[in-house]
């Protein structure tokens, strides 16, 4: 909340930085040198005006990334190159789909995608077997992948607000996560 409009390239010199909170600023881009922050574990970029990230972003060793409430229309493909990622929040954007290769996020436990325009959940998401929390509420989904049951560790699923949902039915969704997995 400091009305920051840009970060200098020298940010990359803070190699021992473990947490970077940049929420509620006026940032539109990150310098490629952000990838030099090898010690960074937690990055919060919520409520800025990002619509893309540098390719080098995928080289970060972050465990937690928050990209919620920005201007993304496409989920940055570099996200799938972050093998240590355990939590990703990218809510309140204009995402229509997710990148190919989501299955590479083998440590991902929490994926928050609420309030976007996602129409299809790719099969690669059901291959993230570590996933415990999945928020898909208020999107444009009409169906879940048939092999959704493979998310056996899933214990929190939010699906409300998908008005066109057919598979599973709304009746199944309101019964909770376990019922959706049985479906």
């Amino acid at each position: 909340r400091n009305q920051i409009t840009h970060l200098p390239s020298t940010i990359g010199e803070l190699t021992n930085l473990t947490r970077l909170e940049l929420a509620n600023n006026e940032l539109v881009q990150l310098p490629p040198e952000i990838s030099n922050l090898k010690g960074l574990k937690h990055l919060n970029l919520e409520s800025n005006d990002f619509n893309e990230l540098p390719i080098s972003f995928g080289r970060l060793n972050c465990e937690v990334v928050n990209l919620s409430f920005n201007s993304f229309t496409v989920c940055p493909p570099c996200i799938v190159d972050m093998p240590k990622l355990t939590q990703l929040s990218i809510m309140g954007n204009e995402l229509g789909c997710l990148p190919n290769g989501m299955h590479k996020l083998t440590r991902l436990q929490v994926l928050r995608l609420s309030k976007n325009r996602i129409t299809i959940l790719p099969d690669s998401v059901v291959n993230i077997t570590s996933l415990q929390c999945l928020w898909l509420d208020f999107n444009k989904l009409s169906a879940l992948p048939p092999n959704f049951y493979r998310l056996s560790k899933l214990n929190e699923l939010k699906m409300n607000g998908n008005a066109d949902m057919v598979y599973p039915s709304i009746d199944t969704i309101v019964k909770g996560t376990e019922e959706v997995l049985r479906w």
Side-chain angles (χ1 to χ4, degrees), residues 37-176:
L37 301 179
K38 299 298 181 195
L40 196 62
K41 300 291 181 218
H42 184 110
L43 178 59
N44 187 354
L45 299 173
E46 181 178 354
S47 297
N48 279 281
D49 201 21
F50 292 105
N51 60 22
E52 63 182 5
L53 296 173
I55 293 171
S56 63
F57 190 89
R59 292 196 298 263
L60 288 171
N61 290 316
C62 286
E63 296 170 3
V64 178
V65 173
N66 187 347
L67 301 172
S68 297
F69 303 101
N70 276 283
S71 299
F72 292 104
T73 56
V74 173
C75 186
C78 57
I79 292 294
V80 301
D81 296 325
M82 302 179 78
K84 295 188 178 180
L85 198 60
T86 61
Q87 294 183 38
L88 174 62
S89 296
I90 188 163
M91 303 182 301
N93 283 277
E94 298 289 324
L95 301 182
C97 61
L98 297 175
N100 291 328
M102 290 293 291
H103 64 281
K104 293 196 289 187
L105 298 173
T106 58
R107 294 186 186 183
L108 194 65
Q109 297 172 10
V110 176
L111 180 57
R112 294 186 182 108
L113 300 165
S114 304
K115 300 178 182 174
N116 279 291
R117 296 176 182 254
I118 299 169
T119 56
I120 296 173
L121 191 63
D123 285 337
S124 61
V125 170
V126 300
N127 293 320
I128 308 172
T129 56
S130 57
L131 206 57
Q132 297 172 21
C133 172
L134 179 58
W135 292 5
L136 296 167
D137 50 322
F138 299 99
N139 276 284
K140 305 229 179 256
L141 292 167
S142 60
L144 292 177
N147 51 359
F148 192 78
Y149 67 91
R150 294 182 66 193
L151 295 175
S152 59
K153 293 184 181 175
L154 194 67
N155 58 39
E156 183 179 352
L157 174 66
K158 290 189 177 187
M159 293 286 304
N160 57 309
N162 286 286
D164 297 328
M165 184 58 72
V166 177
Y167 299 109
S169 68
I170 299 296
D171 293 340
T172 302
I173 291 169
V174 297
K175 291 178 183 174

